Amino acid sequence: MENLINKNILKIKPYEPGKPIEEVERELGLKNVIKLASNENPLGSSLKALAAIKRNLNTLNRYPDGNCFYLKNKLAKKLKLKPGNLIFGNGSDELIDVIIKTFVGLNEEVLTSKVSFVEYEIVSQANNRRFRALPLKNFKYDLMAIKMAIRKNTKAIFIANPNNPTGTYVNKRELEEFLKGLPKNLIVVLDEAYNEFVDVRDFPKSLDYINKNVIILRTFSKTYGLAGLRIGFAIAKPEFIECMNRVRQPFNVNLLAQAAALEAVDDAAFLSRSRKTILDGKMYLYNELEKLGFGYVCSVANFILVDVKQDCRIVFNKLLKQGVIIRPMAIYNLKNFIRVTIGTRKENIRFIKALKKVK
Ligand SMILES: Cc1ncc(COP(=O)(O)O)c(C=O)c1O
């Protein structure tokens, strides 16, 4: 059997998603389980997006618009870009794959940081591309070390900003210093999945850099509350987008996702409620964690990396038994850390109550 499988595939450690609520309820015989494990929007989805899904249910016999025409035009206008600057994907996950296939050749490498989004490595391996990751510095991407580590065959540098799972960010000055004088034959991907939650002034305005070899990734999964529909997008210069379009599947974004995203983009009230829920929840959690004597890493995203000062897998299991799903960070070698997604006020209170019991 091993002889039949591509060797690089055998090296892949499978992605471990957050445990689904239904699975935990089924396996542990629990009710009212809460999931704070996958950085989803705790408020649900925009009602306008849900209404659009219902309106479009009778057109599912048709293929979706492979070009996402209406969504592309609306979003371009909103971001003050040209439609040719945008490409949509089945979640931004898919676009990571499209980028690696489009830009990185077989003997070229993807460079990034350790303790960052695991898909960069999985997708590189699945495509048989080389992959290298440098250590974080104080839980942050060490851009200077990454710059120094660039080799002749380095073709794409992925920067999750804010970073998942640390919630830290690289600021405008650091990013500009990094971009200055980079070799012309590589691309920089700024993965901004959590962009809308950021509440600091020195966060880079990434759209200013797309005339350089920068590609920005964003998603409807987080602030827009549409993780289950799978839709994300990339922003780049039209020449890049045109080549990425050759690589993606022709009907990669389903019809309901396009219809919902078209409405979600305009639902400013839902976006601002989502943002406020996260920012308020973050303050509450910081405060409670401090009272409990746990350390944490300051986050500009909708999750917090918490130092629980004991084996995170034990904490994970003890919280699970109380119906609270979080993420243990042992896969990153952060043996005493968990990552908790900021939930509704009620969910945050429940998490803290459960955490008190495992202290
Ligand atoms: C940094 C980062 N990039 C990309 C993604 C993927 O998002 P999507 O749901 O759009 O595929 C995630 C999801 O958790 C993420 O944390």
Side-chain angles (χ1 to χ4, degrees):
M1 148 87 182
E2 293 212 345
N3 291 339
L4 293 173
I5 310 288
N6 243 333
K7 276 200 200 73
N8 47 305
I9 303 298
L10 294 171
K11 282 189 236 145
I12 296 177
K13 264 199 241 147
Y15 180 79
E16 277 182 46
K19 258 184 174 306
I21 290 178
E22 299 72 26
E23 186 180 309
V24 176
E25 291 187 341
R26 197 174 57 239
E27 286 176 358
L28 298 181
L30 294 172
K31 281 202 178 111
N32 301 321
V33 166
I34 61 166
K35 183 178 172 206
L36 302 173
S38 298
N39 305 338
E40 295 147 337
N41 190 323
L43 299 183
S45 314
S46 147
L47 293 181
K48 290 183 180 166
L50 297 182
I53 291 175
K54 281 198 191 128
R55 279 200 306 278
N56 280 274
L57 285 176
N58 61 351
T59 57
L60 291 181
N61 56 319
R62 304 289 175 199
Y63 283 100
D65 171 8
N67 186 31
C68 298
F69 178 85
Y70 293 107
L71 182 59
K72 196 180 281 185
N73 278 278
K74 186 180 254 188
L75 198 60
K77 221 172 180 179
K78 202 175 170 70
L79 296 171
K80 300 193 177 68
L81 296 166
K82 300 221 162 62
N85 289 122
L86 294 171
I87 180 173
F88 293 84
N90 192 247
S92 49
D93 272 350
E94 187 202 10
L95 295 170
I96 294 170
D97 185 66
V98 169
I99 288 171
I100 290 176
K101 286 189 168 115
T102 307
F103 294 94
V104 187
L106 274 185
N107 287 314
E108 295 175 331
E109 74 167 10
V110 168
L111 183 61
T112 185
S113 184
K114 290 184 177 163
V115 193
S116 188
F117 191 45
V118 290
E119 279 294 287
Y120 309 144
E121 180 168 8
I122 292 179
V123 175
S124 301
Q125 287 176 330
N127 284 299
N128 204 9
R129 303 316 199 254
R130 290 164 194 251
F131 176 85
R132 204 153 47 99
L134 298 189
L136 293 175
K137 189 172 173 189
N138 299 328
F139 292 98
K140 267 182 68 165
Y141 264 65
D142 186 351
L143 288 189
M144 279 308 121
I146 291 178
K147 195 169 179 176
M148 303 271 287
I150 292 171
R151 293 177 182 156
K152 256 204 191 127
N153 68 342
T154 306
K155 200 59 186 297
I157 299 179
F158 278 78
I159 303 171
N161 202 33
N163 186 31
N164 173 11
T166 58
T168 52
Y169 70 103
V170 297
N171 65 31
K172 181 173 189 277
R173 185 185 49 74
E174 289 161 340
L175 182 65
E176 289 191 347
E177 193 60 34
F178 172 74
L179 292 176
K180 216 185 287 168
L182 276 189
K184 297 263 181 293
N185 62 342
L186 61 77
I187 57 152
V188 174
V189 182
L190 299 175
D191 181 350
E192 298 186 335
Y194 302 95
N195 165 66
E196 293 87 355
F197 296 119
V198 172
D199 60 340
V200 288
R201 292 220 175 130
D202 60 351
F203 193 76
K205 290 193 176 49
S206 54
L207 296 181
D208 291 349
Y209 310 117
I210 55 169
N211 288 329
K212 304 184 192 266
N213 291 347
V214 168
I215 301 178
I216 301 160
L217 282 177
R218 299 218 179 137
T219 181
F220 283 92
S221 296
K222 310 295 175 180
T223 343
Y224 291 96
L226 297 176
L229 277 182
R230 313 303 303 128
I231 176 162
F233 57 100
I235 309 167
K237 45 183 156 190
E239 305 89 279
F240 286 180
I241 298 289
E242 199 267 316
C243 291
M244 289 165 69
N245 269 321
R246 298 181 201 187
V247 173
R248 70 169 172 85
Q249 298 293 314
F251 302 109
N252 58 337
V253 181
N254 74 74
L255 191 149
L256 298 180
Q258 291 186 40
L262 197 60
E263 291 298 322
V265 165
D266 278 341
D267 197 343
F270 179 75
L271 280 187
S272 93
R273 205 152 55 83
S274 303
R275 228 175 104 82
K276 185 166 176 358
T277 302
I278 297 310
L279 297 180
D280 291 350
K282 188 162 71 175
M283 286 309 130
Y284 167 78
L285 289 172
Y286 281 176
N287 209 357
E288 293 298 317
L289 290 168
E290 277 163 29
K291 280 197 239 162
L292 284 171
F294 289 134
Y296 60 83
V297 178
C298 282
S299 170
V300 294
N302 67 337
F303 52 85
I304 306 174
L305 190 63
V306 183
D307 179 359
V308 285
K309 303 190 168 155
Q310 52 178 311
D311 188 328
C312 64
R313 280 162 302 203
I314 295 175
V315 173
F316 168 75
N317 282 319
K318 285 185 175 168
L319 290 176
L320 209 57
K321 284 193 185 122
Q322 298 178 72
V324 178
I325 317 172
I326 52 84
R327 279 285 185 102
M329 293 284 109
I331 46 156
Y332 293 110
N333 242 345
L334 294 172
K335 295 198 174 74
N336 288 354
F337 284 81
I338 61 167
R339 190 196 68 194
V340 61
T341 304
I342 301 165
T344 59
R345 176 141 185 96
K346 215 167 142 191
E347 288 171 334
N348 296 334
I349 290 172
R350 175 126 173 242
F351 162 69
I352 290 294
K353 221 167 140 186
L355 195 61
K356 278 181 184 157
K357 291 198 185 142
V358 307
K359 207 180 161 224

